Amino acid sequence: MIAAAGDALWKNGAVCGKKFTVKCTGPRNGVPHPCTGKSVTVKVVDQCPGCPSTMDLSREAFEIIAKPVAGIINMDYK
C-alpha cells in the first residue's frame, strides 16, 4: 500500500519511505457516509506537488478505508 505526500507533509523528502496509518473521518465532496471504518498502513513513495490534500493514496489503499466513488475524503493519519 503506497501514497504520495502533498506539499504540507513532504518536507523536502523527509517523509519519503515513512509509513503512516490512515483512516477516513468523513466526506469532503458530498458523498454520504464514504468511510468503511477500517484503517490502512501506507508507505510514502513519492511527492504530490500541488495536491490539495496531505496524501494521495493508491487506489488499493483508498478502497480499504473509503468507497471509491467518494474520490476525496477527510482523513487522520499517524
Side-chain angles (χ1 to χ4, degrees):
M1 298 297 155
I2 59 173
D7 295 332
L9 184 62
W10 183 247
K11 298 180 184 166
N12 292 323
V15 296
C16 191
K18 303 283 187 205
K19 292 185 179 181
F20 293 88
T21 299
V22 183
K23 185 171 184 172
C24 174
T25 60
R28 212 165 137 187
N29 65 356
V31 174
H33 313 292
C35 303
T36 64
K38 298 177 182 177
S39 62
V40 66
T41 300
V42 296
K43 182 177 182 178
V44 174
V45 296
D46 200 1
Q47 181 182 14
C48 184
C51 280
S53 57
T54 50
M55 277 189 235
D56 186 15
L57 303 179
S58 65
R59 176 180 283 284
E60 295 82 8
F62 189 89
E63 289 176 349
I64 290 172
I65 65 169
K67 296 175 188 172
V69 296
I72 299 172
I73 55 168
N74 289 319
M75 63 182 174
D76 281 338
Y77 61 90
K78 57 182 171 178

